[in-house]
Amino acid sequence: MTLNPADDQFAQSIRAALPDEVLRPVTARYLEEPRRRISGQAGVLAVPRTAEEVAVLIRLAAEASVPVVPYGGGTGVVGGQVTSDGPAPLLISLERMTAIRAVYPTENVMIAEGGVILADVQAAAEGANRLFPLSLASQGSCRIGGNLSTNAGGVNVLRYGNARDLCLGLEAVLPSGEIWHGLSRLRKDNTGYDLRNLLIGAEGTLGIITAAALKLFPRPEAVGTAMVQVTSSEAAVDFLALARDLMGDSVSAFELIHQQGLLFLSEVLPDTRQAFAEPPEWSVLIEIGLSMGQSPETAFEVLYEAAEARGLVTDAVIAQSEAQRQDMWAVRERIPDANRLIGSVSSHDISVPISAIPEFIRRGADVVAALGPYRVNCFGHLGDGNLHYNVFPPNGHSRSEYDAESAKVKRAVHDLVHEFQGSVSAEHGIGRLKTEDLERYGDPVKLSAMRAIKSALDPKGIMNPGAVLRL
Amino acid sequence: MTLNPADDQFAQSIRAALPDEVLRPVTARYLEEPRRRISGQAGVLAVPRTAEEVAVLIRLAAEASVPVVPYGGGTGVVGGQVTSDGPAPLLISLERMTAIRAVYPTENVMIAEGGVILADVQAAAEGANRLFPLSLASQGSCRIGGNLSTNAGGVNVLRYGNARDLCLGLEAVLPSGEIWHGLSRLRKDNTGYDLRNLLIGAEGTLGIITAAALKLFPRPEAVGTAMVQVTSSEAAVDFLALARDLMGDSVSAFELIHQQGLLFLSEVLPDTRQAFAEPPEWSVLIEIGLSMGQSPETAFEVLYEAAEARGLVTDAVIAQSEAQRQDMWAVRERIPDANRLIGSVSSHDISVPISAIPEFIRRGADVVAALGPYRVNCFGHLGDGNLHYNVFPPNGHSRSEYDAESAKVKRAVHDLVHEFQGSVSAEHGIGRLKTEDLERYGDPVKLSAMRAIKSALDPKGIMNPGAVLRL
């Protein structure tokens, strides 16, 4: 399918159909992504205010066969929001669609437009004494439409699920330029195919999410947070199972932290307040949410004693205040910042079946060591089997010295993940940086079904071309 | 697309490719559905033992353009499993694919073949000290592949979600006859479109689910069950909100019961042990699952006092033994049996936004009364906004006298549901009995996307033709 650039003539067609302020100059921030692997092309930037305006834009793009790149908060790390290949695109940013249309506390539902910043969704839920549990490092700038389009994960997936699990319905503009009015507040609706989940995680290749009906939850009465030293990665997995046995689904976060990350923090972000004087080889950040007058301290004491009796843990610090809780989370959330300052040779957002994690970590260490004297920082959402597995140059060396090795390291780690029946993109998506990985490791029958669905819904291939499925 | 009947010649092609015992005579049970609205046609019946055999069958059907009807437990009530129109089909029953391939207790995952009976899935989970929460009246005969294909609901959706929320991955044969190997045990995997959720709820029109990776949960330490008299349907909704405020997501079931159902039980199933001497106008069956040494009695006492202070409740019975708990559930589970014995003019599986339920009940009573002196039995999964709204002839009259009125009643109730932004099939699916409703009330953009997806994945239209989308 031949596509045409979003040129002056195309911009003129938009000006003729929509108010002038819908078009804006394309500034640098729309052409960058956080890891600077791809530089986007400047085409035309539109900032619509309504689903109807989005629909007009998509219809014009479809008529002119102009590629469309949807833009949320711009925080994605796989290049789904920028394109350097093909004709210059129409960028559609949802930054002016920031209304929270309604909150229904008794139903535990909120209707938010696609451009609402995640932190604002959380705050609006809190204002209604409810919880919207999606929580991730970029929540101050990412937007809920993008979170849904990429099926974002984060730190509360263990208890509450991914973005897709937090959505009841969508309003979206399909590649035909038609608006699907699917903003259902229903918990149960078995009337036809699950178009909602097809759009969620499609990374803008099947349409643009203009609004969503989001699930809210009761706020736990009491939240407890602790940093716990575990004796090994096996012990971490067993400690997780024990915590879930004892506390049911009260465990909302369970983050694995390796010594390497704490050493990086000491090196490049030394003002970070760490829980332990000596960085332990393995530790976990655990958070629980309780109700009915239960005490987090008591719950942690019971858990710790049971874990100690099994030889799983050697020390723990329980947050005694919100400030201490914030400090613990800051350790976890700043590890990616420290990683960036150190500079990785290759970084991986992977998942494997939870019970296989210790063996994966062992095998991974061998695989990486066979390639060179690298340092590995492996951390993340253990409760979901999702690790950020990052490989760094030896102490005293910089990433640039290893540029030539990066692809080899990535391939070796991903091959191992595949051998473990894991995923090479657990929560970040495919974007444009992982399309080759998807082709290599993805199930061929699924890939061919995906291509058939893409062609059926977007026959001209205008929606975010090159993302998820290669051009 | 012209389809051909599954005739002797077609059976011969199966015999040539697969062992003899894969073919069996078509007996009456494969041609009936529980409500006897559709009589299926006898074509050819195949009972494969493996996904590979299913794939061979589908490839033969695709080559010969023979329609395929997948058959699980045969318990669906909308005719998805039987066809009376078009050429006689190849029936594929998964009754010999009943292996539980693996259980991973530390991962809370089970791999079960599509033909495993739901009660056997539950028992296998219990055997590993885990919970598989999907629970519905037909669990002794429905099969998990069918539960997933129809996105079954049941009594634990409030806490644990529908069937789709309980599935991590699928193995399925697509209409091309290719096997999609998607039996992921991963909690997070963002590599491409969500084919899993597309097949779940597609009612066999996009493929056959041959195995599933199912989510297990920790078993609650203590389960409490109570039958509570509420002062009105509004009070029931407020009582639900209060319970969730006080108990977080410990509330696993919240079933609304109307006096009419209890009167029907007294009339046609008088051995049912009811909780209250006088059937209250409205009552609810509430179940909670607790951990960490919490006592259900104490929890119910706290809840009841708070509800009584707000004027929501007037009496309650807490189950003191498993036998009493079973009695309470028997009341709820036998109401549909009583309904069948009385004989409804029209029955509806509907959902509306939870906060609108009291108004819907009021308006529904007016709408039905305007059509005739009917009795309404309205009951069900209040926590999910899902009511079974059934209309019966006046006392002393039989349903057959009102056959001519049935369509009018159905239309009036469904129109009202649509006005309330509800669903005319909350948990039963579309099958063949509700395709017209889907066309009338469904979003046209979604319908057109569904047709495009169906054509793309099943260009010959062999998979369960006439189900979900009309021929």
Side-chain angles (χ1 to χ4, degrees):
Chain A
M1 212 64 62
T2 310
L3 295 174
N4 303 313
D7 55 15
D8 283 351
Q9 190 192 337
F10 180 69
Q12 200 46 50
S13 74
I14 294 175
R15 256 180 232 109
L18 292 172
D20 280 353
E21 75 260 30
V22 169
L23 288 187
R24 286 202 188 154
V26 185
T27 54
R29 72 178 179 98
Y30 297 101
L31 307 176
E32 295 166 355
E33 48 85 23
R35 293 186 180 171
R36 310 289 167 110
R37 307 279 167 84
I38 299 181
S39 292
Q41 301 174 82
V44 169
L45 170 64
V47 286
R49 291 159 310 173
T50 63
E52 289 70 24
E53 289 185 354
V54 175
V56 169
L57 291 164
I58 300 286
R59 281 200 297 273
L60 290 171
E63 280 163 23
S65 294
V66 162
V68 175
V69 173
Y71 193 91
T75 60
V77 294
V78 289
Q81 71 277 46
V82 284
T83 179
S84 53
D85 297 327
L90 168 64
L91 293 167
I92 299 183
S93 167
L94 263 60
E95 66 202 70
R96 290 206 296 168
M97 292 187 62
T98 57
I100 289 176
R101 292 190 192 159
V103 182
Y104 304 89
T106 44
E107 293 179 18
N108 283 299
V109 176
M110 175 193 297
I111 312 281
E113 291 188 342
V116 183
I117 286 176
L118 175 55
D120 294 337
V121 175
Q122 295 166 345
E126 190 168 352
N129 193 30
R130 290 292 181 272
L131 174 72
F132 183 68
L134 188 68
S135 175
L136 38 124
S138 61
Q139 61 198 26
S141 44
C142 61
R143 297 177 191 272
I144 191 68
N147 294 140
L148 289 165
S149 288
T150 57
N151 187 28
V155 295
N156 286 327
V157 174
L158 178 59
R159 177 165 182 174
Y160 297 101
N162 292 294
R164 86 166 64 255
D165 301 303
L166 305 175
C167 179
L168 291 169
L170 294 177
E171 174 192 89
V173 179
L174 301 192
S176 60
E178 294 170 299
I179 302 173
W180 168 41
H181 295 283
L183 276 182
S184 167
R185 285 147 57 199
L186 306 174
R187 302 274 160 175
K188 277 182 173 174
D189 179 15
N190 276 348
T191 52
Y193 300 165
D194 189 358
L195 197 54
R196 175 189 70 200
N197 276 309
L198 191 60
L199 285 172
I200 294 173
E203 305 184 36
T205 63
L206 299 177
I208 294 186
I209 294 171
T210 52
L214 302 171
K215 280 190 203 170
L216 306 180
F217 293 82
R219 296 185 78 78
E221 267 173 35
V223 171
T225 309
M227 198 70 93
V228 183
Q229 289 192 20
V230 292
T231 51
S232 64
S233 59
E234 284 88 346
V237 171
D238 292 343
F239 183 49
L240 168 66
L242 182 66
R244 299 199 79 196
D245 275 349
L246 291 175
M247 303 192 186
D249 45 16
S250 303
V251 185
S252 54
F254 197 95
E255 298 287 309
L256 181 69
I257 295 172
H258 185 253
Q259 190 176 45
Q260 188 63 66
L262 301 175
L263 294 173
F264 283 168
L265 283 176
S266 304
E267 190 181 333
V268 295
L269 294 167
D271 62 325
T272 311
R273 275 193 287 274
Q274 298 195 19
F276 303 108
E278 291 294 315
E281 186 185 2
W282 293 106
S283 51
V284 298
L285 172 59
I286 177 172
E287 189 157 280
I288 56 177
L290 302 175
S291 57
M292 290 191 285
Q294 293 173 320
S295 139
E297 284 71 22
T298 311
F300 276 139
E301 275 164 28
V302 171
L303 173 64
Y304 188 84
E305 277 176 28
E308 197 176 30
R310 287 166 176 77
L312 304 177
V313 300
T314 51
D315 199 0
V317 180
I318 300 174
Q320 300 297 325
S321 65
E322 179 59 23
Q324 282 184 18
R325 177 177 170 264
Q326 299 287 353
D327 283 348
M328 287 182 184
W329 276 108
V331 168
R332 167 61 186 87
E333 298 291 6
R334 296 175 88 175
I335 289 174
D337 301 331
N339 286 344
R340 268 190 281 276
L341 290 167
I342 299 285
S344 73
V345 174
S346 182
S347 58
H348 314 90
D349 163 41
I350 60 111
S351 63
V352 296
I354 295 171
S355 62
I357 281 187
E359 197 192 335
F360 175 82
I361 290 174
R362 267 194 307 276
R363 291 277 310 280
D366 293 346
V367 161
V368 172
L371 296 174
Y374 298 110
R375 292 173 295 176
V376 172
N377 184 17
C378 155
F379 66 101
H381 319 298
L382 184 70
D384 318 316
N386 174 198
L387 297 176
H388 298 297
Y389 192 96
N390 296 356
V391 178
F392 295 85
N395 213 341
H397 294 261
S398 83
R399 63 179 289 177
S400 57
E401 301 171 50
Y402 291 86
D403 274 352
E405 305 300 310
S406 168
K408 202 185 298 173
V409 172
K410 185 178 294 291
R411 178 69 183 269
V413 173
H414 283 180
D415 281 355
L416 188 67
V417 168
H418 189 62
E419 185 190 324
F420 274 76
Q421 299 181 286
S423 168
V424 297
S425 189
E427 59 175 7
H428 292 164
I430 298 297
R432 290 177 173 81
L433 292 174
K434 291 190 172 178
T435 50
E436 213 181 310
D437 291 311
L438 178 61
E439 287 167 16
R440 177 173 294 120
Y441 302 111
D443 180 85
V445 174
K446 177 178 171 179
L447 276 164
S448 120
M450 284 171 59
R451 291 199 186 93
I453 292 165
K454 170 73 175 174
S455 297
L457 296 182
D458 183 13
K460 289 191 163 182
I462 60 166
M463 286 307 306
N464 216 3
V468 185
L469 296 165
R470 265 209 283 198
L471 289 174
Chain B
M1 212 64 62
T2 310
L3 295 174
N4 304 312
D7 55 16
D8 283 350
Q9 190 191 337
F10 181 68
Q12 200 46 50
S13 74
I14 295 175
R15 255 180 231 109
L18 292 173
D20 280 353
E21 75 260 29
V22 169
L23 289 187
R24 286 203 187 153
V26 185
T27 53
R29 72 177 178 99
Y30 296 101
L31 308 176
E32 295 165 356
E33 47 85 24
R35 294 187 180 169
R36 310 290 167 107
R37 307 278 168 84
I38 299 181
S39 291
Q41 301 175 82
V44 168
L45 170 66
V47 285
R49 292 159 311 173
T50 64
E52 289 70 23
E53 289 185 355
V54 175
V56 169
L57 291 165
I58 300 286
R59 281 201 298 272
L60 290 171
E63 280 163 22
S65 294
V66 163
V68 175
V69 173
Y71 193 91
T75 60
V77 294
V78 289
Q81 71 277 45
V82 284
T83 180
S84 53
D85 297 327
L90 167 65
L91 292 167
I92 299 183
S93 168
L94 263 61
E95 66 202 69
R96 290 205 297 167
M97 292 187 63
T98 56
I100 288 175
R101 293 192 193 159
V103 181
Y104 304 90
T106 44
E107 293 179 18
N108 282 298
V109 177
M110 175 193 298
I111 312 282
E113 291 188 341
V116 183
I117 285 176
L118 175 54
D120 294 337
V121 175
Q122 294 167 345
E126 192 169 350
N129 193 30
R130 290 293 181 274
L131 174 73
F132 184 68
L134 188 68
S135 176
L136 37 124
S138 62
Q139 60 198 26
S141 45
C142 61
R143 297 177 191 272
I144 191 68
N147 294 139
L148 289 165
S149 288
T150 57
N151 186 29
V155 295
N156 286 327
V157 174
L158 178 59
R159 178 166 181 174
Y160 297 101
N162 293 293
R164 85 165 66 255
D165 301 303
L166 305 174
C167 178
L168 290 170
L170 293 177
E171 175 192 87
V173 179
L174 301 192
S176 59
E178 294 170 299
I179 302 173
W180 168 41
H181 294 284
L183 275 182
S184 167
R185 286 146 57 199
L186 307 173
R187 302 275 159 173
K188 278 182 172 173
D189 179 15
N190 276 347
T191 53
Y193 301 165
D194 189 358
L195 197 54
R196 175 189 70 201
N197 276 308
L198 191 60
L199 285 172
I200 295 173
E203 305 184 34
T205 63
L206 299 178
I208 294 186
I209 294 171
T210 52
L214 301 171
K215 279 190 203 171
L216 306 179
F217 293 82
R219 297 186 77 77
E221 266 173 38
V223 171
T225 308
M227 198 71 93
V228 184
Q229 288 192 21
V230 291
T231 51
S232 64
S233 60
E234 285 88 346
V237 171
D238 292 345
F239 183 47
L240 168 66
L242 182 66
R244 298 199 78 199
D245 275 348
L246 290 176
M247 302 193 187
D249 45 15
S250 302
V251 185
S252 54
F254 198 94
E255 298 287 309
L256 181 69
I257 296 172
H258 185 254
Q259 190 177 43
Q260 188 65 66
L262 300 176
L263 294 173
F264 283 169
L265 284 176
S266 303
E267 188 181 336
V268 294
L269 294 168
D271 63 326
T272 311
R273 275 193 287 275
Q274 297 195 20
F276 303 107
E278 292 293 315
E281 186 186 3
W282 293 106
S283 51
V284 299
L285 172 59
I286 177 171
E287 189 157 280
I288 57 176
L290 301 175
S291 57
M292 291 191 282
Q294 293 173 318
S295 139
E297 283 72 24
T298 311
F300 276 139
E301 276 164 27
V302 171
L303 172 63
Y304 188 84
E305 277 177 29
E308 198 177 31
R310 287 166 176 76
L312 305 177
V313 299
T314 51
D315 199 359
V317 180
I318 300 174
Q320 300 296 325
S321 66
E322 179 58 24
Q324 282 185 18
R325 177 177 171 264
Q326 298 287 352
D327 282 348
M328 287 182 184
W329 276 108
V331 168
R332 166 61 186 85
E333 298 292 6
R334 295 175 88 174
I335 289 174
D337 301 331
N339 286 344
R340 267 190 283 274
L341 291 166
I342 298 285
S344 73
V345 174
S346 182
S347 58
H348 314 90
D349 163 41
I350 61 111
S351 62
V352 296
I354 295 171
S355 62
I357 281 188
E359 197 193 336
F360 175 82
I361 290 174
R362 268 196 306 275
R363 291 277 309 282
D366 293 346
V367 161
V368 172
L371 296 175
Y374 298 111
R375 292 174 295 175
V376 172
N377 184 17
C378 155
F379 66 101
H381 317 298
L382 184 70
D384 318 316
N386 174 199
L387 297 177
H388 298 298
Y389 193 95
N390 296 357
V391 178
F392 294 86
N395 214 340
H397 295 261
S398 83
R399 64 179 288 178
S400 57
E401 301 171 50
Y402 291 85
D403 274 352
E405 305 300 311
S406 168
K408 202 185 297 173
V409 172
K410 186 178 293 291
R411 179 66 183 269
V413 172
H414 284 181
D415 280 354
L416 187 67
V417 168
H418 189 62
E419 185 190 324
F420 274 76
Q421 298 181 286
S423 168
V424 297
S425 190
E427 60 176 6
H428 293 164
I430 298 298
R432 290 177 173 81
L433 291 175
K434 291 191 172 178
T435 50
E436 212 181 311
D437 291 311
L438 178 61
E439 287 167 16
R440 177 173 294 119
Y441 302 111
D443 180 85
V445 174
K446 176 178 170 179
L447 276 164
S448 121
M450 284 171 58
R451 290 199 187 93
I453 291 165
K454 169 74 174 172
S455 298
L457 296 183
D458 184 13
K460 289 190 163 184
I462 60 166
M463 287 306 307
N464 215 5
V468 185
L469 296 165
R470 266 210 282 201
L471 290 173

